[in-house]
Amino acid sequence: MAEPEILIDPTKPSARNLSYLKAGAPIIIDISTPAGQKRKFNTYFIGYLPKKYVLIEYPDSSKLGAFSQYIGQGTVITVRGLIEGRDGAAVAFISTVRQTLQIPSRIMVLDIPTTVTLQQLRSSIRIETQIVAKVKIDDVYWQTTMTNLSVNGGQLDIINGEKLALAENKTVEVLVETSEGEDNIKFNATVCNFKQQVDGVSFGVKFNQVNKQQVIELLYQALA
């Protein structure tokens, strides 16, 4: 049986694309504070009622910290999730919290989004992530966060890395550890841009001879 075609016609209601997120699918949500601070949290998609609302699981309270006070009616959040069997396609939408429920479990009720975008994993599009990794620079491993990812590369942030000797065309190694250990994902990459930030450094990398399947596996791990 042929799979249904992903809806990409801009003249049609893109909210139908929510149907590609299955119940229990892992998702990432972005929450911003009134002061402009932004954090990403992992949680799960529960389901939706067309033209009514979207249900997602409330993130782990122990990881929310002070951000829990900003989750309430009217909070604007961004939701992202991967489509199973779609070769790295991702769904993303912005919505508003309608209410939170305590029974039968902690649930966030969101308004139906007016637009649900689809991103295909390819060289020209970077999908936002929050992947914890290590990057080897001059034989020293630094803790890093991969903030976006495409077939050809990604963006890395290092806290307290102001003294790093980085330059364009420098070769580094990116390591993402898996729960199994022996299946760690490793990329050889080249630095393609570099900028100082208030609390560290941020730089882009271009993967050297990486295959698309590795990147797709990395995306799924990020949402696991």
Side-chain angles (χ1 to χ4, degrees):
M1 181 178 178
E3 292 183 348
E5 182 180 359
I6 288 181
L7 182 64
I8 56 175
D9 186 344
T11 66
K12 297 180 181 179
S14 65
R16 283 171 47 192
N17 289 325
L18 284 171
S19 64
Y20 292 101
L21 280 178
K22 305 304 181 184
I27 57 175
I28 291 177
I29 64 172
D30 290 3
I31 301 174
S32 297
T33 70
Q37 292 179 300
K38 181 183 287 188
R39 284 278 303 278
K40 299 177 188 290
F41 300 96
N42 288 28
T43 186
Y44 295 92
F45 181 79
I46 297 175
Y48 76 104
L49 187 62
K51 300 182 181 181
K52 296 292 185 179
Y53 50 78
V54 176
L55 300 178
I56 66 174
E57 186 174 293
Y58 197 91
D60 186 341
S61 297
S62 65
K63 296 181 179 179
L64 278 173
F67 273 77
S68 61
Q69 65 183 300
Y70 302 112
I71 299 180
Q73 187 176 16
T75 300
V76 177
I77 66 172
T78 300
V79 179
R80 295 182 179 84
L82 294 178
I83 303 174
E84 290 186 16
R86 286 292 181 175
D87 203 23
V91 172
F93 62 88
I94 297 174
S95 184
T96 303
V97 176
R98 181 181 296 184
Q99 67 181 111
T100 58
L101 305 176
Q102 303 291 331
I103 299 175
S105 62
R106 299 204 73 182
I107 294 172
M108 297 169 64
V109 183
L110 311 180
D111 290 329
I112 284 287
T114 56
T115 302
V116 181
T117 61
L118 290 159
Q119 298 174 313
Q120 291 286 348
L121 182 62
R122 54 181 185 266
S123 59
S124 60
I125 292 181
R126 294 200 170 191
I127 296 175
E128 290 194 33
T129 61
Q130 195 74 1
I131 301 171
V132 176
K134 294 179 180 178
V135 58
K136 186 178 181 181
I137 304 171
D138 295 330
D139 296 324
V140 177
Y141 280 102
W142 293 76
Q143 197 72 29
T144 184
T145 301
M146 187 175 293
T147 57
N148 64 46
L149 184 67
S150 75
V151 171
N152 289 342
Q155 189 76 19
L156 304 179
D157 288 352
I158 297 179
I159 303 298
N160 299 325
E162 299 89 342
K163 296 182 180 180
L164 273 174
L166 277 177
E168 290 194 17
N169 299 319
K170 188 180 187 71
T171 300
V172 298
E173 180 183 279
V174 181
L175 174 67
V176 180
E177 297 177 331
T178 65
S179 56
E180 291 80 12
E182 66 272 9
D183 295 324
N184 291 343
I185 301 172
K186 186 182 296 184
F187 302 101
N188 183 270
T190 301
V191 176
C192 52
N193 63 64
F194 173 79
K195 62 181 179 181
Q196 295 282 349
Q197 294 187 321
V198 175
D199 56 354
V201 295
S202 179
F203 57 99
V205 294
K206 180 179 180 181
F207 298 141
N208 301 326
Q209 298 180 333
V210 67
N211 65 64
K212 185 176 180 179
Q213 189 57 40
Q214 277 186 298
V215 180
I216 292 172
E217 290 174 4
L218 186 55
L219 279 171
Y220 277 107
Q221 180 178 316
L223 290 171

